Amino acid sequence: MQTLDWWLLVHPVLAVVLIYPLLGIVVRLGWQARQRRVHQAKLPAITGRDHSQLGQWLASAVVVLVLIALAVVISSKQTANTSRQLPLLLAWLGTATSLLALWRVQSAGLRLSFGLITWSGVLALGAQPEVFRLSDNPLEAAFWQSHYWGGVLVCGLMLFNLAAWPEIQRYLSWRRLHLGANVLAAVLFLSQGISGSRDLLEIPLSWQQPFLQQCNWAERVCPSPSPN
């Protein structure tokens, strides 16, 4: 493996080592917090607080992981042409800064604004030609099988959790919306594990790519290698 191949592994490694274990903890604490609140279960009083704090860390970690993946993919396929590099770098830094601001602001309007700005930045970076997507048409099955679009949708749900957290804690209707959104997020996390594993099988090592680009993927045929 070359240096580029190791960089491409940063995203899946962080997902396995950080995101999914943290997801399991947050789901468990969320279930306990609900049992304590609804069914008066005898559980520690700090259960809800721990769920809240770790949930916010999980949401932020997911967004950061997506930004890392986009940075690695785009930078690894950039040419010497610098006409797009500076705008893309500024867009990435602006998105990361917006995420930091989302942690700091208090008013609902600012939280909504920075949440939308962060998600818009992720979408803008993901729209670059260097980022592979199976389809951009939601009416096609390939769209829902795309690891990229699944990640973008999860990212949006996590940003909703971050931006609306005070309302979720305060109002029952928002807690129900939070529960529904996170059931969908759990399904998407499961599908991301499947599609991510599939994509790892399909991504060749960097030194293999020149030969594989000659293959006819529709016919599943590759040219015979020339003898040495």
Side-chain angles (χ1 to χ4, degrees), residues 89-110:
L89 177 61
L90 292 176
W92 193 94
L93 291 174
T95 305
T97 302
S98 180
L99 176 62
L100 290 174
L102 182 55
W103 270 81
R104 305 284 297 179
V105 297
Q106 300 296 324
S107 69
L110 287 176

Side-chain angles (χ1 to χ4, degrees), residues 36 60 69 105 108 142-144 155 165 168 174 190:
R36 185 176 184 274
S60 300
V105 297
F143 176 90
W144 302 102
C155 190
W165 197 253
I168 292 169
W174 281 86
L190 176 61

Side-chain angles (χ1 to χ4, degrees), residues 211-225:
F211 175 77
L212 293 177
Q213 288 172 354
Q214 304 173 48
C215 296
N216 185 332
W217 297 107
E219 300 293 334
R220 298 182 182 180
V221 175
C222 289
S224 299

Side-chain angles (χ1 to χ4, degrees), residues 34 37-38 166-180:
R34 180 173 175 78
R37 183 175 60 251
V38 176
E167 287 75 20
I168 292 169
Q169 293 180 306
R170 194 175 301 129
Y171 303 112
L172 178 60
S173 58
W174 281 86
R175 284 200 295 271
R176 289 173 175 169
L177 183 60
H178 169 69
L179 177 61

Side-chain angles (χ1 to χ4, degrees), residues 141-217:
F143 176 90
W144 302 102
Q145 299 170 15
S146 175
H147 186 72
Y148 165 77
W149 282 114
V152 166
L153 292 174
V154 167
C155 190
L157 291 171
M158 294 299 102
L159 286 168
F160 162 74
N161 288 334
L162 273 178
W165 197 253
E167 287 75 20
I168 292 169
Q169 293 180 306
R170 194 175 301 129
Y171 303 112
L172 178 60
S173 58
W174 281 86
R175 284 200 295 271
R176 289 173 175 169
L177 183 60
H178 169 69
L179 177 61
N182 283 280
V183 168
L184 174 59
V187 174
L188 289 172
F189 273 117
L190 176 61
S191 69
Q192 286 300 94
I194 297 171
S195 62
S197 301
R198 176 204 65 202
D199 287 359
L200 282 177
L201 290 174
E202 294 181 349
I203 298 173
L205 296 174
S206 55
W207 63 268
Q208 298 172 332
Q209 290 180 5
F211 175 77
L212 293 177
Q213 288 172 354
Q214 304 173 48
C215 296
N216 185 332
W217 297 107

